[in-house]
Amino acid sequence: MAVTKGAVVDSFAKKVVVLTALPLEYRAMRRLLEEPRRVDHAGTIFECGRLAGTSTTVCLAVTGAGNDSAAVITERAINFFQPEAVFFTGIAGSLKADVSPGDVVVAIEVYSYHGGKQDPDGFKARPRGWEASYSLQQVAMYVDNVGAWAANLTQDSGESAEVHFKPIVTGDVVVNAPAGSPLRVFLDEHYNGAVAVEMEAAGFANAAHKAEGVPHLMIRGISDLADGTKQSTDRVGLQGIAAQNAASFTAEVIAHLTPADAPSGPESVVTEGGPNGELIWQPLDQPADVSWYRDLVPSSAYTSGPSLLEIHLVPVPVTNRVPAVRMQQLAAELVDLGRSGGLFTNLEHVEVQDSAEMIAVTVADRRGRSAGLAITRSGQRSAWEALPNPGLTYVLDEDHARERITVLLALLEAIDGPASPSYAPAAGIEKTMLVTVERLSEVNPNSAGLRVSDTPIRAEPEEAVTAAVVAGRGSELARELTARLIYSFRSPRR
């Protein structure tokens, strides 16, 4: 189940990063996103939204001009979002007569032209280059061959725009010089295959290349001829047309990353695991700081009531707190989410506990019914419900617990809260005196065994998993949490 409102970084099976150098380029791409939402990381502001017509989340940022800043933001984005692919899109100047303003260049290779050696014989170029990811080149060629992307272009944007799969060159200066100028002659002599010139591709490609396993692609729209006429072409709006064409083509490539007839469920898309398919857990230096049920609902900590199964997702690291204004909105959204997800019925009265630091929505009655959802300002997501009670005892049945934890994890993943690259999952059982571990089908409803202590049973958040695992492999995560709970229950220390 996936109940999602708005565009949330970790709510979709696929996630990509798109970077631009200029605000003009950023706005061209942003127009193609649905309900983009701000995500701050290490001083950089991203916006993440669903690409229109797809289930893919695009995380967008401006790097600023130059290869150095492009490299830094590319590395930062890859490490934080752990995307399926990373793109750089924007404008460039043409170096060839047959590559015209409005055309799109897919950079199959990127060359940095500032590398070299100066000696008495003159400057000797020492080219450094990076090849675009083959898989993304193939998708881009498919998009061009199908040709549907151009149908979305306006007449002003050039419905006949051509796509060129050629190398580009990149340096740290704006090239706007006639064909016979020293720099243009140098580029023609040493980088004759390149058809466009710009200022960020080397930093982007180098950073993406070092992030092993992350496909990367540079897509540029031609805005000028880099021949001294840039000011006049800029005045007539060719920059905006070029940025729009590049953004449109980039969006179409993203939309075709997965074949249209491929399974779209998260279980089939997210395959984040080790060599044998097992989940990858990241050990933490110390357990994450989790607020358990008795912390979230302190008035219920020591009162009589059912034994509760509680599940928590603690963001790792805590990068940005939920704004107070957003907390006010979340109260109603959590109620709707609980009803649509089956945690609450449509007829039940839901209590709302609303404070500056925590929102909790709960259902409880005298018959032992208890369930709830919560989110804290730090971004922790929590859910709980009563264990089954077929007789005198509450039962922790392995199959039932795994099924319910899967459902609760899906609810938590669907909360429209702050994005986090990873979560430390925690599970617990509150009020354990009358809890037994056995199969529901074998429970004797007329007998009960008391535990010597009512101490909560807990699987502490000592390890983290990526947001993609939470979104796409919830049943496997639930299986592991169930096993940890049962081991904790049977431990002699309890």
Side-chain angles (χ1 to χ4, degrees):
M1 56 174 293
V3 184
T4 305
K5 293 185 177 181
V8 186
V9 171
D10 55 356
S11 295
F12 302 98
K14 288 192 295 182
K15 177 169 68 252
V16 303
V17 165
V18 177
L19 302 175
T20 72
L22 304 176
L24 173 87
E25 303 160 339
Y26 180 95
R27 290 191 292 268
M29 192 69 206
R30 188 181 189 273
R31 284 193 288 268
L32 304 177
L33 305 184
E34 295 179 346
E35 299 186 53
R37 296 183 178 239
R38 174 171 166 171
V39 178
D40 290 22
H41 172 59
T44 300
I45 297 177
F46 295 86
E47 281 194 291
C48 298
R50 188 186 313 182
L51 180 64
T54 76
S55 62
T56 300
T57 297
V58 172
C59 296
L60 182 63
V62 177
T63 68
N67 284 296
D68 289 343
S69 59
V72 170
I73 303 304
T74 299
E75 181 180 26
R76 184 173 295 171
I78 290 173
N79 288 337
F80 181 58
F81 293 109
Q82 300 183 4
E84 180 175 328
V86 59
F87 296 83
F88 206 109
T89 187
I91 63 177
S94 172
L95 295 176
K96 301 294 183 182
D98 59 348
V99 179
S100 304
D103 286 359
V104 171
V105 175
V106 177
I108 61 172
E109 289 181 281
V110 169
Y111 296 121
S112 176
Y113 66 80
H114 272 144
K117 177 183 179 182
Q118 183 73 48
D119 62 21
D121 296 328
F123 182 79
K124 298 179 180 178
R126 291 184 174 179
R128 189 177 183 198
W130 299 266
E131 186 175 355
S133 299
Y134 176 75
S135 59
L136 295 187
Q137 291 185 52
Q138 287 290 296
V139 178
M141 289 179 182
Y142 170 80
V143 168
D144 182 40
N145 289 333
V146 172
W149 78 278
N152 297 322
L153 300 181
T154 64
Q155 186 173 0
D156 290 341
S157 296
E159 295 173 333
S160 61
E162 294 187 22
V163 181
H164 307 268
F165 293 83
K166 295 288 185 178
I168 66 173
V169 291
T170 180
D172 291 319
V173 298
V174 176
V175 178
N176 184 32
S181 64
L183 180 54
R184 291 293 299 266
V185 170
F186 171 80
L187 294 177
D188 186 57
E189 289 180 349
H190 297 280
Y191 304 95
N192 185 260
V195 301
V197 59
E198 50 85 80
M199 297 175 60
E200 293 79 33
F204 165 74
N206 190 19
H209 173 74
K210 290 177 179 176
E212 296 181 1
V214 181
H216 61 280
L217 191 65
M218 168 73 67
I219 298 174
R220 292 288 191 176
I222 298 300
S223 62
D224 59 84
L225 301 177
D227 63 353
T229 62
K230 178 175 172 57
Q231 288 183 333
S232 61
T233 55
D234 288 354
R235 277 197 300 268
V236 298
L238 290 184
Q239 279 193 336
I241 292 173
Q244 180 180 332
N245 289 1
S248 297
F249 191 83
T250 301
E252 197 72 12
V253 173
I254 294 170
H256 286 84
L257 288 179
T258 301
D261 58 350
S264 57
E267 294 289 346
S268 64
V269 174
V270 181
T271 57
E272 198 162 318
N276 297 317
E278 72 275 11
L279 297 183
I280 296 178
W281 294 80
Q282 175 189 355
L284 302 177
D285 294 336
Q286 59 184 17
D289 186 12
V290 60
S291 295
W292 295 94
Y293 169 79
R294 61 173 56 192
D295 304 315
L296 297 170
V297 192
S299 62
S300 303
Y302 302 104
T303 60
S304 61
S307 297
L308 297 176
L309 171 66
E310 54 182 304
I311 302 297
H312 311 274
L313 293 176
V314 183
V316 179
V318 178
T319 55
N320 54 320
R321 288 165 60 81
V322 185
V325 172
R326 182 69 187 123
M327 291 290 284
Q328 292 176 331
Q329 300 167 343
L330 277 167
E333 292 182 18
L334 288 183
V335 174
D336 291 342
L337 178 62
R339 292 195 194 281
S340 60
L343 190 63
F344 315 137
T345 71
N346 290 330
L347 299 179
E348 285 181 313
H349 173 67
V350 182
E351 294 286 343
V352 177
Q353 300 181 43
D354 186 349
S355 71
E357 294 299 318
M358 187 270 297
I359 300 292
V361 296
T362 61
V363 164
D365 62 33
R366 296 178 180 178
R367 299 186 300 274
R369 171 91 170 105
S370 183
L373 287 171
I375 184 168
T376 67
R377 282 289 303 280
S378 65
Q380 175 184 316
R381 306 156 183 232
S382 303
W384 57 88
E385 66 178 18
L387 286 174
N389 178 218
L392 300 177
T393 60
Y394 292 91
V395 180
L396 178 59
D397 174 276
E398 183 173 2
D399 292 339
H400 177 269
R402 184 171 63 247
E403 176 185 334
R404 295 309 301 163
I405 292 175
T406 301
V407 172
L408 295 179
L409 285 172
L411 280 170
L412 297 184
E413 194 271 335
I415 293 176
D416 192 353
S420 177
S422 301
Y423 291 95
I429 299 176
E430 182 73 25
K431 300 183 178 69
T432 61
M433 185 74 76
L434 290 174
V435 174
T436 180
V437 176
E438 55 185 312
R439 294 191 178 280
L440 283 168
S441 59
E442 300 174 358
V443 172
N444 183 344
N446 299 314
S447 65
L450 290 178
R451 289 171 53 82
V452 297
S453 170
D454 205 27
T455 303
I457 302 298
R458 289 172 177 170
E460 299 282 349
E462 299 175 333
E463 299 173 282
V465 295
T466 65
V469 166
V470 176
R473 302 182 68 175
S475 61
E476 294 169 80
L477 185 56
R479 182 187 297 274
E480 176 64 20
L481 290 175
T482 301
R484 293 186 183 191
L485 269 180
I486 291 175
Y487 276 125
S488 298
F489 186 91
R490 291 172 174 168
S491 171
R493 293 173 295 175
R494 295 293 183 183

